[in-house]
Amino acid sequence: GARYSPASRSRSSPPSAAPASPPAAGDRYDNRVWVSGLPRKLLRVDLARIASDLVKHVGGGTAIEFDLQAYNLRQIFALKFADRERAEAFLKDYFQSPYEWTDPRDSSTHALRLRRDRPLRDRELSRVMGSVWSKAKLFLGEKLQGHHMGTSRGCLFVRKQDSNEVWELLEVRSDSSQDALVIRDVVVANSVQAQWGVSTTMANQWVDDAAALLGVPRL
């Protein structure tokens, strides 16, 4: 089929209520678009049919090349395009004219929600922080009683459950100029070392182990 281009469709006025916001200019993200909003789990063959109908709706008669990433008994699937530009163009056109799927089981309609994939750097950072979280939980042990430990955008934090008191145990800083994750340094506050026993050396070792396991470079 013909390649999809941003100019394949044009509309003068978007609807007042769209399922999500268009992507911001300049953001770096993958060439996949995730589709959700289905009311129940479906087989891959059904997801493929929905994907085909969705793409035809957005293309408005123009053939759009994509690869389907879907599995049996899922409520979500992904459309993978040749590059980021085509994924962005597809999203922008979709937000101009959202698509509703009609469930043949009960004739109910459901607006599909589309979102771009997270940047590769963010996905890799999440995996690194998941490994760091596991090592920190093992080290802190009983100290975490009455506390919740979590991660957010490269930060490992502990929150006291009966108050809003929060400690940032460590922060993983990365090179934001790269598409993929490149770890620049690890920061640990002196107060954290005194109260929680997490030293800069220990935090760096946790991050080094995670980076080595996942193949993430460090500066």
Side-chain angles (χ1 to χ4, degrees), residues 35-204:
V35 182
S36 61
L38 297 171
R40 56 187 174 88
K41 295 179 180 179
L42 297 170
L43 296 175
R44 188 184 188 281
V45 64
D46 297 316
L47 297 175
R49 189 177 299 112
I50 295 171
S52 178
D53 291 343
L54 167 63
V55 170
K56 288 178 182 177
H57 170 81
V58 173
T62 300
I64 303 174
E65 292 184 358
F66 71 96
D67 291 324
L68 175 67
Q69 296 183 344
Y71 301 92
N72 284 327
L73 298 179
R74 294 291 189 272
Q75 291 176 263
I76 188 171
F77 60 88
L79 308 174
K80 187 174 182 179
F81 297 91
D83 51 44
R84 297 173 180 174
E85 289 72 24
R86 287 178 175 82
E88 179 184 11
F90 184 86
L91 275 174
K92 286 183 176 179
D93 272 2
Y94 178 77
F95 292 128
Q96 297 281 335
S97 179
Y99 177 76
E100 289 189 343
W101 176 68
T102 301
D103 191 340
R105 178 179 290 180
D106 57 11
S107 298
S108 58
T109 57
H110 305 271
L112 299 184
R113 298 189 296 272
L114 273 63
R115 64 171 176 83
R116 57 190 173 181
D117 208 349
R118 287 188 303 162
L120 175 62
R121 184 176 63 251
D122 288 356
R123 299 198 305 273
E124 291 179 334
L125 181 59
S126 293
R127 289 193 285 269
V128 167
M129 296 308 297
S131 176
V132 170
W133 182 94
S134 297
K135 292 179 180 295
K137 182 180 181 183
L138 184 64
F139 170 74
L140 294 172
E142 293 183 355
K143 289 184 178 180
L144 289 175
Q145 288 186 1
H147 297 79
H148 166 78
M149 186 170 65
T151 65
S152 176
R153 303 285 293 181
C155 294
L156 179 71
F157 67 90
V158 172
R159 176 179 59 82
K160 197 171 184 180
Q161 292 179 346
D162 60 359
S163 71
N164 291 323
E165 193 171 6
V166 177
W167 297 267
E168 185 177 305
L169 299 185
L170 63 89
E171 180 185 2
V172 177
R173 295 178 178 176
S174 61
D175 184 353
S176 60
S177 67
Q178 303 295 320
D179 284 345
L181 177 65
V182 178
I183 297 173
R184 185 158 48 87
D185 53 20
V186 180
V187 179
V188 180
N190 291 332
S191 58
V192 167
Q193 298 185 46
Q195 181 162 352
W196 294 93
V198 178
S199 67
T200 300
T201 300
M202 182 180 298
N204 272 281

